[in-house]
Amino acid sequence: MKTIDELLADGVDGKRVFVRADLNVPLDGGTITDDGRIRAVLPTVKALADAGAKVVVASHLGRPKGASDPAFSLAPAAARLGELLGRDVAFAADTVGESAQATVAGLTGGQVAVLENLRFNPGETAKDDAERAAFAEQLAALADAYVGDGFGAVHRKHASVFDLPKRLPHYAGYLIATEVGVLKQLTEDVKRPYVVALGGAKVSDKLAVIDQLLGKADRLLIGGGMAYTFLKAKGYEVGISLLQEDQVPVVQEYMERAEKNGVELVLPVDVLVATEFPDLKTKAPATYTTVDADAIPADQEGLDIGPKTRELYASKLADAATVFWNGPMGVFEHPDYAGGTRAVAQALVDADGFTVVGGGDSAAAVRTLGFDENAFGHISTGGGASLEYLEGKTLPGLAALED
């Protein structure tokens, strides 16, 4: 895989360089609530602009279903990119149309432009190879070289991720090079003890990675909504907690394999329960109780791991040489149910080993809860991409950069 340093060594002064970034930031109306992904691509964009390239940045945002939708415009992201770069950033009102062509044509060396949301064009996400290829050809006409730096999208077989790099000299940006390097530390010659903490809503989203980790990790800590399927598999009452009943047999088999393989599978010993889900808009104080994990009332649901579990998980993380964490331990968006997620994050901060926060809600939680990002070994920008890499899958965007 060629890197951006090789491109810079060859010289980019006056060349049009297409940077596939991941500017898929959360928005509250037109306000960005977490600019982490924009900041992550800054080193690549700045290096190219400082070297005199005409930098064309492109990304998706949300799922607008192949049509223009102001709610998913990248205009706020373009404005924030300009603020962080400390220079004007032009914005094209379309992806490959008149505005994009004129905007790119108007760039001089060292200037940066952002194209409108790639997913406003149906060719970006098309299942049909020919349709994707046609869109990739239009994008290729806007550039002389391609830099892939949108790690959060490399697991998608989309035109700008998979088809476009085949049509231009292609290189990995600084972010992707860093992300791949980190993932190799989690899969090759891993320093032990290797502890993985998994949370989030659905156990089905994590089954494939658990399958792989049962042969690689020393400990698995389970939290979040997915924990209740594990507790159900142990024969516990889980009340009205989030449950995937159809996955119980699979989870039981995984629990048996963990024991056979000598992998310590750690489940919550107590949980916070309530009769209703909290109001995440007003964040009004919730009414809840703490019960043992085997004593969840039939009319209540678990919303966070309890204090005994927080202490337990912190102790299981304390001696880790390598930690990977993906998924919150509870409904962290509400302050009354953020304690479990906060405890795991703090345990990673306190650990002496190499700690990786696996993107998605985990990364959002770290920022929302006010942690210093530099206190972690690495905070990934791609939760889904990280998980698929750990599952052993071939990621289309990385495969395209390898060619």
Side-chain angles (χ1 to χ4, degrees), residues 10-380:
D10 290 340
V12 294
D13 189 23
K15 290 184 178 179
R16 302 169 301 164
V17 180
F18 188 104
V19 177
R20 199 337 178 157
D22 179 9
L23 308 181
N24 186 29
V25 292
L27 294 171
D28 183 3
T31 303
I32 297 171
T33 58
D34 181 356
D35 66 358
R37 284 176 169 165
I38 301 175
R39 287 186 284 112
V41 78
L42 283 179
T44 289
V45 175
K46 188 175 186 305
L48 290 167
D50 287 350
K54 302 173 183 179
V55 187
V56 182
V57 181
S59 174
H60 70 287
L61 192 153
R63 298 182 178 182
K65 299 180 180 179
S68 180
D69 184 339
F72 296 105
S73 175
L74 277 173
R80 181 58 179 154
L81 178 62
E83 292 173 359
L84 292 169
L85 285 172
R87 66 180 82 196
D88 290 336
V89 169
F91 182 66
D94 54 30
T95 54
V96 292
E98 292 182 4
S99 179
Q101 294 172 37
T103 300
V104 174
L107 292 176
T108 58
Q111 291 187 324
V112 180
V114 174
L115 304 181
E116 185 53 286
N117 193 335
L118 289 164
R119 291 186 182 175
F120 285 179
N121 190 305
E124 169 68 1
T125 59
K127 301 293 185 184
D128 181 75
D129 291 349
E131 187 177 355
R132 275 200 331 276
F135 183 49
E137 289 286 354
Q138 291 178 292
L139 291 171
L142 300 173
D144 303 305
Y146 175 94
V147 172
D149 216 29
F151 180 72
V154 294
H155 58 314
R156 307 295 188 191
K157 193 176 181 180
H158 291 170
S160 65
V161 176
F162 179 73
D163 302 270
L164 180 56
K166 297 178 178 181
R167 289 162 170 77
L168 294 168
H170 46 271
Y171 307 83
Y174 291 125
L175 174 61
I176 278 188
T178 297
E179 294 273 15
V180 171
V182 166
L183 287 167
K184 285 183 177 179
Q185 291 186 62
L186 298 176
T187 53
E188 302 172 11
D189 298 321
V190 183
K191 293 182 179 179
R192 299 184 180 280
Y194 179 21
V195 184
V196 177
L198 295 176
K202 294 182 178 180
V203 69
S204 57
D205 293 341
K206 305 285 169 58
L207 286 177
V209 74
I210 292 173
D211 183 50
Q212 289 292 316
L213 291 170
L214 287 175
K216 295 176 181 175
D218 297 300
R219 293 181 202 129
L220 286 177
L221 314 182
I222 305 296
M226 62 182 284
Y228 302 101
T229 301
F230 278 84
L231 294 175
K232 184 71 172 181
K234 288 192 71 172
Y236 294 173
E237 169 65 59
V238 297
I240 56 173
S241 304
L242 189 61
L243 172 67
Q244 289 185 280
E245 189 87 45
D246 61 322
Q247 301 299 332
V248 168
V250 180
V251 168
Q252 288 174 327
E253 192 268 327
Y254 281 9
M255 292 166 69
E256 292 169 2
R257 273 179 54 201
E259 184 174 2
K260 181 179 179 181
N261 292 351
V263 177
E264 188 179 2
L265 182 61
V266 190
L267 301 179
V269 294
D270 63 340
V271 296
L272 272 55
V273 297
T275 56
E276 59 184 18
F277 198 80
D279 189 328
L280 299 183
K281 288 188 177 181
T282 65
K283 293 183 171 53
T287 300
Y288 63 87
T289 56
T290 303
V291 300
D292 288 342
D294 61 355
I296 298 174
D299 63 343
Q300 299 191 38
E301 64 178 319
L303 296 165
D304 194 13
I305 57 174
K308 289 188 290 186
T309 305
R310 297 169 197 175
E311 290 185 14
L312 173 64
Y313 285 11
S315 71
K316 297 296 183 182
L317 290 161
D319 68 341
T322 305
V323 180
F324 176 72
W325 170 36
N326 180 279
M329 296 292 109
V331 187
F332 77 93
E333 299 90 344
H334 192 284
D336 289 334
Y337 301 117
T341 301
R342 184 186 300 278
V344 168
Q346 186 63 53
L348 265 69
V349 170
D350 296 339
D352 292 330
F354 179 56
T355 57
V356 179
V357 180
D361 285 342
S362 305
V366 163
R367 299 185 182 105
T368 299
L369 298 175
F371 285 90
D372 179 1
E373 294 180 41
N374 294 320
F376 303 89
H378 179 68
I379 299 178
S380 178

Side-chain angles (χ1 to χ4, degrees), residues 392-403:
K393 290 184 177 179
T394 298
L395 307 187
L398 296 185
L401 293 175
E402 292 281 3
D403 291 341

